[in-house]
Structure formats: C-alpha cells, structure tokens
C-alpha cells in the first residue's frame, strides 16, 4: 500500500517513534605550441590505450564538461554526458550524497549496484565525492563492457569510473590560474495546482470537517489571510566558488597544485555546504627516462547543514518532522510563524499542534532540529616504475584513503518538539547525538610488464598483485535532557546528569562498532596488435574476499576481446574514414559487495558476517545454533557466494572525415547467483517467547536467481563547421536498457512493487483504476477478471510491466564558437520509468484537508449529483483510500531537461598583449533551467518508488571568470 502521511500531533508522535567530449591529450613544448595526438582511454592500473587500438567499450569525458559547473560533486555533471551511465539526483540539498549511478542498468536486486571508482590508478571505497574538487579532474573514463571491467574482478561488475586528476607538464613555465563562480539558485515549480486559503477553506466546508467547516460562506469569501508558504520555506540560494591553480615543470619534474573553496547555500533556509580542498601532484622521471615516479595528494574538508530527513527515512512521511512538506502541504489560511522560538510557541498553544503543523515545521527549520555534518578526506598515492630493459618494466603503486565523518544532531531544548514532549513530564527536554566514523583504506598494486614489438607485431603482457584492506570504526553517544540555560549545539554543555531518582529521563546511551575488511587478487593481461589492423586483448584474474567462507573465498574472472580496424585494410584506401573499428568482447566479473549501501556508506563494510550462520548464546532473544543450551558458536554459511556476471558486447567505432564520429554498442549482461535468501532446514529456528516453542527460520543469506540486462548504446557527434572563425558541432548519445528477472527461488507478489519472475526489477503490482462512477461518485477499478468493482481485494492486483527504473537515458546538444565567443547547450533525458506520486495522492484526498494539510484546488471540481461528469471522485466517496494500491497515481517519470547552457567570451591574445595575463574568459551559465515532463512534482529525476519529501534540484544561474597568468 502506498505510504500514508502521518497527521498526528507532536506529543503523540514522539511516543510512537519520535556531453560526451572526445578528450584530446595535448603536448606543449617550450614555445607553447600545441600538437594534438591520439585520444587516450585511461583504463586504470596504469593501463591506457589509444582510441584506435582500444578493444573496450569506454567513453572519455574531458575536464571541460566538469569545470565551472555549480555542482558540489562531479557526479551531478555526468547526467546525460555519456551513453550507458544513468545519473539521477534524489536531492538538491547542498552536499547531498543521494545520487544514484548505474552503468548498463541494475545488475543486482539485493546487492550494491554502485560502480567502482578509481582515482589516479587506485580503487576507492567512496560512492560520493563531495570533497573532490571537480576542477582538479583532468579526464574521466566510463568503462562499460567486460573487457574494460574484468581487470577489476571482484569490484567491477557494476561498471567502473576512472578519474585522473591534473598534473603539470615537463619543460613548461610557471602558470597561475584563478577561477571564480558566483551562483544564484531558485526552486522549480510544480503542477499540483494547490489551493489558496479561500479554496482550501471551501474544500473543508464541502467535506464537512476542519476549520473551514465552521465558517459561513460569507466568512470564507472574505477570509483575509492567504500565506504562500513556499516563500517562507524557500529562498534564493547564493553560492560562490574560488579555485587557485599552479603548474610548472622542468626537464624531469612537473607540479600541479590547487586550492579550492566552495560555499553553497541551499534553496531551503538553513541548509548549506562549505568545502576547502588542496591538491598537490608531483610527477618526475630520471634523465634517461627509465625511472618514473609520482606523488599525488588530495585533501578535503567540508561541513554541511541538512535536514534530518536527508538520511532518516523514518520521518519521510511525518507531517510535523519532515520540513520538506512545509512548502506544499502547509495550510494557506494560517498566518506565518509568529514566535521567536519553539518555547514561546509552546507557552502559547501548549500541545495543540494539529492545526498548526506549518509552525512546527518552520520551527524545526530555524533551529528546533539541527543536523550538521563535517567530513575530512585524504586521498594520497605514490607510484614508481622502472624499465629494467627496453621491453621489461616493474612498478608499484601504493595508496591510502582516509575519511572521517562527524555528525552532531540535536532536538534543541528551545524547539517546539522538545517542549511538547518534556513539558507535560515537568522535565528537561531536548536530545543531542554526537557520532564519529573513521573509514581507512589501503591499496597496493605491484606489476611487471613485458612490452615488445616484433616487426608488424606488438605484444604487451602484464602481471599484477592487488592488495586492498579497509578498516571501519564508529562511535556515538546520545544525551537525553538539555539545559536551555547553558546548552550550546555540539559543545557538550548543558547535559542533564543521570539521576537514579529519574532513571528513565536523562539516561545517556553509547555505541561503537569496528569492522576490518579486505580483498586480494592476482591477475594478468595480454594485448596483441598486428599492423594496427587487428588486435586481441585478454584478462584473467583470481580474486579473494573476506566476505565468504573459506571454500567460497576465491573465484576466477576473465575476459577476452578482439578488434578489427577496417579502415586499415587495403580495400579502404582512398576512403574518408579516419577510423572504422569493429570490436567484440566477452567476460565475467564478480560482485562481492552484498547489500545495498545507505546514503554515503561504504559497501565494503556491509554484510561482514553473513558468511556465518548463527551467532549467539541460548536465550530467547538471541538463540544459538538450533537454540540448543550451551552453544555459543559460529557455523560457516557455505551457501553464500559471489554474485557472478557474464557480459557479451559488440561495438563499432567510427570517424568519417572528422565530420561525423561516434560509437554503437550492443550488449547482454547476465547476473547469476543473485544475493538472496535461500531455504534451509526448518530445524534451524528461533524460540517464540510467548510459547517457548521453536519457530523454524527457513532462510539464510545465500544465492539464487538470474537477472538479465540487454541494451543498445550510441554516441554521435557532427562537426558541421570547422573554419578559422566559426565552429559548430552537434552531439547526442542514447542508451536503452531492459532488465528481466529470469529465475528466483522466493517470489513475493504481495506488495505494490515486486520482483516478479519474467518481468523487470521493481515492477508495479497494482489494481487497475478506471475512473469515477458517474451515478454515485465512487472510484471504480477492475478485478483480476477485468470486471468493474468498487471494492478491490489483494487478489485483484496485476503485474503492470512498468518499473521505476527508466529504460532510456541520454543527452544531446551543441557547441559553437565565433571569434572568441562560444556557446554550449546541453539537454539530458530519460524515458520508460514509472513512480507512484504519493504527494498527488495526498493532495487529492479531502481527508488530509480536514486534518489541516493543504490539497489541490481540483477537489473543488469533485463529483456531485449536479457535476456527475467529473473525473474526480465524490469528496465523501466511501471507498476513498482504496486507490492507494491502484495505478491511479502511477505516473511516468519521462523528462527532457535543459541541463546546462553556457555562453562566454575568450579574450584574444591581441586584446591581452599589454596585460600580464595569458588568457581570460568570462561566462554566464545556467543549470537545470527547464524540464519538459508530465510529472506534476518538483522533479521526475529521482529513482524512487514513492515520491515522499523531495528536496528539489534547484535552477541555478552563474556568472564566472577564468584567468591565467
């Protein structure tokens, strides 16, 4: 059933749960002349390939796509930028980690589907990158097929994103750069057609409940108060970012250093994000070129204020805690918040909060509930390689990643919610929680490479040893009872001490946990080329993971690929094709990240003990093996194994006379041994405390089932004009992915959305809504046999074939330049997804109006005997609420979004010749400008089953300048 909005009072509530850009590598000599060389695809593990010789399905995105964007993380800038990668932001809160990234569809039902991220050659445990400055990124490669990802074995099953940060250049002078961006963000509108004060009171009057039911028609018509709560909760968010860069290089050493600062105000009051970053990348070599080394260090510190709902799904439907409801559901007939704080509010109205929920939400926003995060990150690695001979080299890369998260959360003793709970008890109110998480990973990769050319033949063979270790520690304490006289947020003051005379009031709580995780792998790669015409690549990798019992700990994954550069054939002589390459690959990967990570969490630490069957002593609440007395044991779970994935890919890359270039890929990806519950003997169970009898537990963690993904991807760029003064290109990419569950041991078809065999993941399973009975005003549905009914039962659900995972993703746009002026227009889109619009279901229900929550003015057109042709049910329909498990409010999430528009001017060297400036660019740009969609809410972008409180992705207009000295 769809999620119901909680309409309880504050006191009661607390006691029930309180553009794809073809990146060109550039070489600069001492005279600053630029020579373009072949595009390089960065594959990770120090492995690269030119576009012509690559056998992988990979797309490279250049720095220009990521720079000068008003996005906290580079992930937001990837939407629609490359085929095969779907990027959906579920929150516009500054610094939010609620971004869903999928490469070639959903690869698992109950395990992580996040891609693997690799920064400067080493894998990272991160799934969000709020502390990585996008301006420090040189290139970003998205690896999609098995040949590209099998080299990462146990962690590459969901695709790989390879990030390379900027470095200096040898034999280059000192260059200083400064980038500045100032942005203004506003909230998007909705199509819900919300009622104003008079309309809201009229709906209550028609329904016969609520304050409006007590008013006469004349009083409603002359009602004076009409509050626009969106203007009270929303604001224009102002942001700024500054980046200072330094590059220089000598004959054998180069340096890139940067400092970055970002201050981002949210469009909701009291949400914000600040970040400081520092990067220092040193690259060097010996005089003879045989010894190469690098030392790359990135530091970041950020802090953000965000709403509790951002990471607390427990209040997603709570009408007096979820501040995100304040803009749409607030009663417009209520005057704005009139108090200095929640204490003054409680002194005035006591616990009677039901009719003034907007005041409670506003009080939460201005300080009644506070939620602050601080994050410190260190990403550092050192690499060295040495050529023993002209064809044999050895290398090692050692890296660490350290993250520390601090959170301070409080229900202020000045806030209304705290007063509503504590004052009836004559006690101190408020609660404060301080928590700390430390996440440390260590990665070491050693390799030996043989690279030799024999006439027309070239062979590269490499062997690697990859060791990865991760450590997690967390601790937290919660203090109940805060003294308003000396409490200060996060300072540890004002804590009411525990007293045995009041043991239930001020009892603090503490917690801690520790997890050690790790993987190890040894693998080899083979690449062969003949006359740049034919190529073969292969990878074989042996992986071990800490997650599994010894007998399942190691698995072998592999891939093989081939290419045919058709343009190199004799029969292509005289052709205008600069590249025409056919490639094919097949391979396997494993997924050992079992469990879906929550927002910002590290998937390597999930399900650390699932390879153990039962752990415990003989108690009713914590039974041991078979609940037998005397047992305290760990029984190995031999049923738990890796998820395994096989993928086949055929692709074509082409470039015709530099006029049209692109790629097309077709693939099939099959995930077997899905992470699922599996049946075990009924003898393993738990004691029922009420009867002291053994209740069988039939499931433990294991593997069963198969999931298939099929798809097509394409990217095209037309370089229409390429002359001295005018350049014009148009580009587009698209990706189609269809997933299908082929088999599964335990199929549950009882919910609104299900994983049904033979259908897509997350398929909607609902009653069919057909409209309004024009004689009675009741809602009508179809039963399972297709007959009209007004009282559907659970048996009347049908599988719709519709899923909340969209099938189509992509983007398109144009680049233009004219005598220093330039313009870029970029649009992204998705299609084929369906989500249930919970907000629409609430605002079309007069019950919520009766409880003081705003609704749509469309209810004024509800069915009546004199308005019998209305498509809105009678306001007092007896079967109201039954539609919650129907498809009445199931809506398409298709959209086309004007994602980014940028216009600017690059000053010519002639204009700058009398200034100590090498280059100067000024520009104006806008982000998330407009969305074409049938979705009525703020944004159809989030991949969600139900549209609960959504922090809208804002519209942002920016002005900036780039200067280089």
């Amino acid at each position: 059933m769809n999620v119901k909005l909680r309409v309880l009072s504050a006191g009661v509530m607390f006691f029930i749960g309180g553009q794809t850009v073809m990146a060109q590598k550039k070489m600069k000599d001492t005279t600053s002349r630029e020579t373009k060389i072949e595009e390089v695809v960065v594959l990770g593990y120090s492995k690269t390939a030119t576009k012509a010789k690559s056998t992988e399905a990979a797309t490279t995105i250049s720095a220009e796509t990521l720079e000068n964007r008003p996005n906290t993380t580079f992930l937001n800038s990837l939407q629609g930028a490359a085929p095969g990668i779907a990027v959906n932001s579920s929150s516009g809160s500054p610094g939010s980690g609620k971004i869903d990234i999928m490469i070639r569809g959903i690869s698992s039902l109950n395990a992580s589907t996040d891609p693997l991220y690799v920064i400067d050659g080493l894998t990272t445990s991160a799934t969000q990158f709020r502390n990585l400055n996008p301006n420090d990124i040189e290139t970003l490669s998205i690896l999609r097929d098995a040949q590209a990802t099998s080299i990462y074995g146990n962690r590459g099953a969901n695709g790989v994103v390879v990030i390379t940060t900027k470095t200096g250049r040898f034999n280059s002078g000192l260059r200083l750069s400064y980038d500045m961006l100032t942005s203004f963000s506003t909230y998007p509108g909705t199509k819900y057609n919300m009622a104003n004060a008079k309309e809201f009171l009229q709906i209550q009057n028609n329904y016969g409940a609520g304050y409006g039911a007590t008013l006469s028609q004349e009083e409603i018509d002359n009602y004076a108060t009409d509050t626009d709560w969106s203007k009270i909760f929303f604001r224009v968010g102002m942001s700024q970012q500054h980046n200072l860069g330094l590059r220089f290089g000598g004959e054998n050493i180069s340096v890139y250093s940067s400092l970055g600062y970002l201050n981002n105000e949210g469009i909701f009051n009291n949400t914000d994000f600040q970040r400081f970053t520092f990067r220092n990348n040193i690259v060097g070599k010996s005089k003879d070129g045989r010894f190469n080394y690098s030392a790359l260090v990135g530091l970041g510190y950020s802090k953000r204020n965000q709403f509790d709902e951002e990471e607390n799904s427990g209040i997603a439907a709570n009408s007096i805690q979820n501040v995100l409801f304040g803009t749409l559901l607030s009663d417009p007939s209520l005057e704005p918040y009139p108090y200095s704080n929640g204490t003054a509010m409680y002194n005035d109205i006591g616990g009677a909060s039901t009719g003034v929920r907007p005041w409670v939400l506003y009080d939460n926003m201005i300080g009644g509930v506070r939620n602050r995060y601080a994050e410190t990150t260190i990403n550092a690695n050192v690499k060295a390689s040495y050529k023993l001979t002209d064809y044999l080299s050895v290398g090692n890369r050692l890296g660490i990643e350290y993250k520390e998260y601090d959170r301070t959360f409080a229900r202020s003793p000045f806030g209304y919610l705290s007063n509503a709970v504590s004052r009836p008890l004559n006690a101190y109110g408020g609660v404060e929680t301080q928590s700390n998480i430390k996440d440390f990973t260590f990665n070491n990769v050693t390799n030996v490479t043989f690279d030799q050319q024999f006439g027309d033949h070239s062979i590269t063979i490499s062997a690697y040893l990859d060791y990865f270790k991760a450590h997690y520690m967390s601790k937290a304490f919660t203090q109940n009872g805060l003294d308003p006289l000396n409490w200060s947020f996060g300072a540890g003051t004002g804590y009411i001490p525990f007293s045995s005379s009041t043991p239930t009031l001020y009892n603090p709580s503490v917690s801690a946990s520790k997890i050690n995780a790790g993987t190890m792998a040894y693998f080899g790669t083979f690449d062969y080329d003949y006359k740049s015409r034919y190529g073969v690549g292969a990878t074989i990798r042996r992986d071990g993971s800490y997650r599994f019992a010894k007998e399942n700990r190691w698995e072998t994954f592999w891939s093989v690929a081939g290419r045919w550069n058709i343009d190199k054939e004799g029969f292509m002589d005289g052709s205008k094709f600069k590249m025409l390459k056919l490639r094919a690959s097949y391979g396997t990967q494993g997924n050992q990240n079992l469990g879906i990570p929550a927002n910002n969490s590290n998937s390597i630490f999930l399900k650390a003990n699932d390879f153990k069957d039962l752990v415990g002593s003989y108690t009713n609440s914590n039974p041991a093996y078979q609940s037998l007395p005397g047992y305290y044991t760990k029984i190995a779970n031999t049923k738990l194994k890796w998820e395994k994935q096989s993928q086949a890919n055929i692709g074509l890359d082409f470039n015709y006379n530099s006029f049209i270039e692109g790629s097309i890929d077709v693939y099939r990806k099959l995930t077997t041994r899905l992470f699922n519950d599996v049946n075990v003997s009924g003898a393993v169970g738990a004691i029922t405390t009420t009867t002291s009898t053994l209740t069988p537990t039939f499931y433990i963690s294991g593997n069963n089932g198969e999931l298939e993904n099929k798809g097509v991807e394409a990217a095209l760029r037309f370089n229409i004009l390429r002359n001295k003064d005018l350049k014009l290109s148009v580009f587009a990419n698209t990706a189609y992915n269809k997933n299908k569950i082929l088999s599964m041991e335990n199929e549950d078809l009882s919910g609104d959305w299900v994983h049904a065999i033979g259908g897509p993941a997350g398929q909607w399973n609902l009653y069919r809504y057909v409209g309004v009975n024009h004689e009675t005003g009741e809602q009508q549905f179809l039963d399972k046999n297709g007959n009209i009914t007004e009282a559907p039962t659970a048996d009347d659900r049908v599988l719709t074939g519709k899923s909340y995972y969209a099938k189509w993703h992509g983007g398109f746009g144009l680049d233009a330049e004219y005598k220093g002026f330039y313009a870029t227009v970029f649009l992204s889109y998705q299609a084929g997804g369906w989500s249930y619009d919970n907000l629409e279901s609430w605002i079309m229900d007069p019950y919520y109006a009766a409880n003081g929550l705003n609704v749509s003015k469309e209810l004024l057109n509800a069915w009546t005997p004199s308005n019998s042709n209305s498509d809105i049910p009678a306001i007092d329909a007896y079967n109201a609420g039954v539609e919650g498990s129907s498809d009445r409010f199931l809506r398409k999430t298709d959209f086309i979004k004007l994602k980014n528009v940028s216009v600017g001017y690059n000053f010519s060297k002639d204009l700058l010749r009398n200034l100590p400036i090498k280059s100067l660019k000024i520009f104006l740009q806008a982000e998330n400008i407009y969305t074409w969609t049938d979705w009525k809410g703020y944004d159809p972008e989030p991949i969600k089953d139900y549209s609960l409180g959504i922090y809208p992705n804002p519209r942002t207009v920016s002005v900036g300048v780039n200067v280089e000295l």
Side-chain angles (χ1 to χ4, degrees), residues 661-959:
E661 55 186 314
S663 63
I664 301 173
D665 283 271
V666 180
Y667 65 90
R668 179 181 185 262
K669 184 167 61 172
L670 179 66
T671 305
T672 58
R673 303 192 316 210
L674 288 170
F675 178 53
N676 260 319
D677 289 338
V678 298
N679 292 331
V680 296
S681 169
V684 180
I687 286 186
T688 302
T689 57
T690 55
T691 62
S692 298
T693 59
L694 182 70
T695 300
T697 301
F698 292 99
Y699 309 108
I700 60 173
S701 296
N703 307 80
N704 65 79
E706 296 182 337
L707 174 65
E708 177 188 66
N709 282 269
K710 290 182 178 179
V712 180
E713 301 162 348
L716 291 173
R717 174 176 284 269
F718 293 88
N719 300 312
I720 299 172
L721 296 173
R722 278 289 182 269
N723 57 52
K724 179 181 178 181
D725 292 330
L726 179 62
K727 296 179 176 64
L728 176 64
S729 299
V730 295
F731 55 86
N733 76 79
T734 190
Y736 172 80
N737 176 274
K738 181 180 180 180
N739 71 72
K740 183 179 180 180
I741 300 172
L742 300 182
S743 65
M744 189 161 43
E745 186 174 295
N746 305 308
E747 184 184 49
D748 183 0
L749 302 181
S750 61
D752 286 355
W753 61 266
V754 297
H755 297 317
I757 298 172
Q763 180 178 186
W764 289 100
N765 183 39
L766 304 166
Y767 318 135
R768 290 165 290 179
Y769 178 76
V770 293
V772 177
N773 185 330
H774 294 304
E775 294 182 359
T776 65
E778 298 296 326
Q779 299 180 96
Q780 293 186 325
F781 308 87
L782 295 181
D783 66 16
K784 62 181 178 181
N785 298 316
N787 302 313
I788 290 180
T789 178
E790 293 180 0
T793 68
D795 291 337
D796 293 323
R797 296 177 185 269
V798 297
L799 294 171
T800 63
K802 301 171 182 176
S803 168
Y804 50 80
Y805 294 108
K807 295 179 180 179
W808 291 92
H809 293 87
F812 56 95
L814 64 85
D815 293 322
E817 295 181 32
Y818 178 71
K819 292 185 177 181
F821 292 96
Y822 73 90
T824 297
V825 179
F826 177 64
L827 300 94
S828 61
Y829 68 88
Q830 75 173 27
W834 297 77
S835 287
Y836 189 93
D837 195 340
N838 237 104
L839 273 174
E840 187 181 8
S841 72
W842 293 343
I843 65 173
M844 293 300 294
D845 189 339
Y847 166 79
Y848 291 111
N851 282 273
L853 297 158
N854 198 17
V855 291
S856 172
K857 66 177 65 178
E858 294 175 16
L859 287 175
L860 292 172
N861 190 39
W863 181 95
T864 64
S866 60
N867 186 33
S868 60
N869 288 325
S870 175
D871 60 352
I872 299 173
I875 205 165
D876 57 351
Y878 78 88
N879 64 356
V882 176
E883 77 282 355
S885 290
S886 79
D887 60 3
R888 180 183 173 189
F889 297 108
L890 187 64
R891 301 290 185 240
K892 288 183 179 180
T893 56
D894 300 359
F895 68 80
I896 298 176
K897 180 175 291 188
L898 187 52
K899 185 68 176 177
N900 180 265
V901 174
S902 181
V903 294
Y905 180 73
N906 282 297
F907 286 79
S908 67
K909 292 183 178 179
D910 289 339
L911 292 174
L912 301 174
R913 64 179 180 269
N914 294 323
L915 298 173
I917 298 175
K918 293 182 179 178
S919 68
L920 173 63
K921 178 172 71 175
I922 57 174
F923 58 90
L924 176 69
Q925 72 162 4
E927 195 94 1
N928 296 326
I929 306 168
Y930 189 79
T931 302
W932 291 270
T933 181
D934 290 334
W935 184 260
K936 293 185 177 181
Y938 285 115
D939 199 337
E941 184 177 325
I943 301 178
K944 294 177 74 71
D945 44 9
Y946 302 105
S947 65
L948 297 174
I950 301 293
Y951 194 121
N953 289 298
R955 295 171 178 158
T956 305
V957 177
S958 308
V959 60

Side-chain angles (χ1 to χ4, degrees), residues 4 9 30 85 93 131 173 192 215 240 262 286 288 404 431 447 539 554-555 584 594 647 723 738 754 807 810 872 888:
K4 294 293 186 181
S9 67
T30 54
I85 180 170
S93 182
N131 275 16
Y192 286 135
L215 301 178
Q240 58 178 317
L262 170 67
S286 61
D288 59 7
E404 184 166 0
V431 59
N447 71 284
T539 299
W554 289 88
E555 286 266 3
L594 306 182
Q647 184 175 184
N723 57 52
K738 181 180 180 180
V754 297
K807 295 179 180 179
I872 299 173
R888 180 183 173 189

Side-chain angles (χ1 to χ4, degrees), residues 215-521:
L215 301 178
S216 67
Q217 190 63 49
E218 182 180 1
E219 289 174 317
I220 294 175
D221 293 340
N222 295 308
Y223 199 83
T225 301
D226 189 6
T227 303
D228 184 350
W229 288 99
S230 64
K231 294 181 179 179
I232 293 175
F233 281 86
F234 282 136
R235 66 179 173 185
V236 175
M238 181 176 177
S239 305
Q240 58 178 317
Q241 55 178 298
H242 304 270
N243 293 288
L244 182 65
L246 178 150
R247 291 192 193 205
F248 65 88
E251 181 180 358
N252 299 311
I253 192 170
S254 68
V255 175
Y256 168 79
S257 293
S258 72
L259 284 171
Y261 172 73
L262 170 67
N263 187 349
N264 186 352
E265 287 184 346
I267 56 174
F268 271 94
N269 283 292
N270 287 341
T271 58
D272 56 59
F273 177 81
Q274 277 188 297
R275 179 181 67 204
F276 302 86
T277 60
F278 170 74
R279 177 163 290 277
N280 191 61
N281 291 350
I282 300 174
V283 178
K285 62 181 180 179
S286 61
K287 288 186 177 181
D288 59 7
R290 289 187 175 274
F291 178 65
N292 291 271
Y293 65 91
S294 63
L296 315 176
V297 179
L299 309 177
Y301 173 79
S302 65
K303 60 181 180 179
R304 65 190 189 276
N305 290 290
Q306 62 183 38
F307 295 144
D308 187 23
E309 188 275 343
E310 182 77 15
E311 295 181 12
N312 182 3
S313 60
I315 67 168
N318 195 302
S319 62
I320 61 171
Q321 285 200 73
N322 190 347
V323 176
L324 300 177
F325 291 143
T327 59
L328 287 174
L329 299 183
S330 291
D331 179 356
S333 68
L334 183 68
E335 65 178 341
Y337 183 80
Y339 305 104
S340 59
N341 57 33
T343 300
M345 177 177 168
Y346 187 86
N347 291 338
D348 186 31
I349 69 169
S353 63
T354 302
V356 291
R357 290 188 189 87
W359 292 354
V360 180
L361 294 176
Y362 186 83
D363 182 70
N364 293 346
M365 183 179 69
I366 64 172
V369 178
R370 297 193 61 182
N371 191 29
R372 184 179 66 197
Y373 287 80
E375 180 177 328
T376 302
T377 58
I378 302 172
N379 185 290
N381 75 70
V382 178
K383 174 192 173 185
S385 64
Y386 186 76
K387 294 189 68 172
L388 300 172
T389 69
D390 290 340
Y391 54 85
L392 186 66
S393 62
V394 295
N396 191 84
R397 188 186 289 268
L398 171 66
I400 64 167
E401 186 176 42
Y402 175 79
K403 296 186 179 70
E404 184 166 0
Y405 309 90
D406 285 290
R407 182 200 184 199
T408 304
F409 170 82
R411 292 193 182 104
S412 165
F414 304 105
Y416 178 81
L417 293 179
S418 294
N419 278 272
V421 173
S422 63
R423 296 279 282 276
L425 301 175
N426 195 27
Y428 285 98
V431 59
E432 182 171 278
T433 297
Q434 295 192 35
S435 59
N436 174 271
I437 295 175
K438 293 182 176 68
D439 179 342
F440 176 81
T441 59
F442 171 92
N443 192 194
N444 189 79
V445 179
T446 303
N447 71 284
V448 178
T449 298
F450 172 85
D451 188 359
Q452 182 65 291
Q453 186 166 343
F454 307 92
D456 294 331
H457 308 269
S458 64
I459 296 176
T460 303
I461 302 173
S462 298
Y464 298 83
L465 177 64
D466 185 349
Y467 175 77
F468 179 85
K469 195 68 184 294
H471 304 277
Y472 173 93
M473 293 181 63
S474 70
K475 56 188 176 182
F477 72 85
T478 299
Q479 171 64 42
N480 292 287
L482 306 174
D483 188 342
L485 291 178
N486 59 351
W487 173 78
S488 179
F489 180 67
T493 58
Y495 290 177
I496 304 301
F498 172 78
S499 172
S500 58
S501 61
T502 54
T504 62
L505 291 181
Y506 311 122
N507 192 12
S509 62
V510 296
S511 63
S513 64
K514 179 179 180 180
I515 301 173
N516 294 323
T519 63
M520 188 173 181

